[in-house]
């Protein structure tokens, strides 16, 4: 098998800090078998999921997990999510699973939901970023699902971007950030949802705290439990010395190179603001339907929250490719999936929001 030999060579080159090129695999059974073997052997593979692409490795292998942190340039205290093929396996890696977690899993797994649970010693502290808890997710994407089964490993996978940069929603984005840093990426086309999973913690009995919003919305969670709290860090900057319930919230995130400014207003006021402030290499990111008569250079990112979720990271990357220096973004709604889009944008904007 030529490809397998090629990947072995790449893996050797990575281990010995030599330069190499990342291989693009397809989703055929034969190539997934190669990817599964690489994961069993302790290597990192770019994998499609229904949310965004992940950088996957065996969650129980310290060295493999360290390689993920190295490839991303990720701070060691930011924990990784562990992906399982079925929630029934959660008890192999965690303990004291509350009854509510089972009810939530029954409704939303497989799917874009991550449940934070107390970890046991099969999950090393490298994976949990030093925490005694671990985020468990059962992805619905057939490729990720198949890889977990074929490798027989719990797969730790953060989003496959360089730390701080927008998450990748196609294999080309992964290659752009990871070429030469990991041996292989599986090309599974465009991510269906476009924003990362909803991360939740179960609190005292029948209450859930959303640590990161995603496509499983507050309203959907309210269907299963009596109380859903949105963590303050989702919409607000942490104050100096304040502890983050989700370590990822304390880091600059989702940021393209351009300076992003979010504007909460009607399209008329938005247009007026851009008219008086635009200069240099400035772009606007507006809704589909806003563009009629909009007189400045722009891109659109969908009309409804689900399309905005699917398109946001792609647009931020495209704006960088165009060399945008400043990007004015029309703020999305915070209803439903919109909260996830707003949360990513407010971070991309470094909390710079103009309300007119
Ligand atoms: O959709 C997703 O969740 C994607 C795909 C690849 O599955 N993964 C992903 O992972 O977005 P990552 O590492 O980029 O984001 C995980 C977020 C971080 O903000 C992290 O701080 C938080 O989840 N997190 C992970 N484990 C946690 C824990 N034990 N307690 C609190 N927050 C946790
Ligand atoms: Mg991420």
């Amino acid at each position: 098998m030529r490809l397998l030999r090629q990947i072995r060579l790449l893996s050797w080159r990575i281990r010995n800090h030599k330069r190499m090129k990342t291989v693009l695999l397809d989703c055929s059974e034969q190539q997934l078998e190669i990817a599964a073997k690489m994961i069993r052997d302790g290597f990192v593979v770019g994998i499609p999921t229904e949310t965004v692409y992940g950088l996957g490795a065996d969650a129980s292998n310290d060295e493999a997990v360290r390689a993920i942190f190295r490839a991303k340039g990720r701070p060691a205290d930011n924990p990784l999510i562990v992906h399982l093929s079925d929630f029934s396996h959660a008890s192999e890696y965690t303990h004291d699973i509350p009854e509510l977690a089972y009810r939530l899993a029954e409704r939303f797994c497989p799917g874009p939901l991550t449940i934070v649970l107390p970890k046991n010693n099969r999950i090393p502290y490298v994976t949990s970023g030093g925490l005694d808890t671990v985020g468990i997710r059962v992805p619905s994407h057939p490729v990720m699902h198949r890889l977990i089964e074929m490798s027989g490993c719990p797969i730790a996978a953060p989003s496959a971007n360089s730390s701080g940069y927008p998450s990748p929603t196609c294999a080309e984005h992964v290659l752009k950030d990871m070429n030469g840093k990991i041996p292989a990426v599986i090309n599974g086309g465009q991510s269906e949802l476009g924003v990362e999973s909803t991360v939740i913690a179960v609190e005292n009995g029948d209450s859930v705290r959303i640590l990161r919003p995603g496509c499983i919305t507050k309203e959907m969670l309210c269907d299963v439990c009596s109380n859903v709290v949105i963590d303050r860090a989702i919409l607000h900057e942490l104050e100096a010395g304040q502890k983050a319930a989700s370590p990822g919230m304390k880091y600059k995130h989702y940021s393209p190179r351009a300076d992003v400014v979010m504007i909460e207003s009607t399209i008329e006021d938005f247009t007026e603001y851009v008219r008086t402030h635009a200069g240099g290499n400035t772009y606007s990111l507006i809704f589909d339907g806003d563009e009629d008569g909009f007189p400045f250079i722009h891109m659109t990112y969908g009309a409804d929250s689900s399309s905005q979720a699917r398109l946001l990271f792609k647009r931020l990357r495209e704006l960088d490719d165009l060399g945008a220096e400043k990007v004015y973004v029309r703020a999305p709604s915070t209803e439903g999936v919109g909260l996830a889009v707003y949360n990513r944008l407010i971070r991309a904007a470094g909390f710079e929001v103009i309300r007119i």
Side-chain angles (χ1 to χ4, degrees), residues 41 77 93 124 132 204 217 237 259 277 284-285 306 335 344:
D41 287 350
D77 68 349
Y93 304 98
D132 289 319
N204 45 31
T217 62
E237 199 164 11
D259 178 23
H277 290 80
S284 296
L285 191 54
S306 297
E335 294 296 307
R344 304 320 188 261

Side-chain angles (χ1 to χ4, degrees), residues 74-117:
R74 178 170 174 124
D77 68 349
N78 195 359
L80 307 184
I81 292 172
V82 173
H83 299 70
L84 304 176
S85 60
D86 193 286
F87 194 77
S88 61
H89 295 299
S91 58
E92 295 168 32
Y93 304 98
T94 64
H95 60 89
D96 294 309
I97 304 177
E99 191 269 331
L100 177 55
Y102 284 108
R103 259 192 291 142
L104 290 161
E106 198 174 331
R107 176 71 75 90
F108 301 115
C109 297
L113 182 69
T114 297
I115 308 179
V116 173
L117 296 167

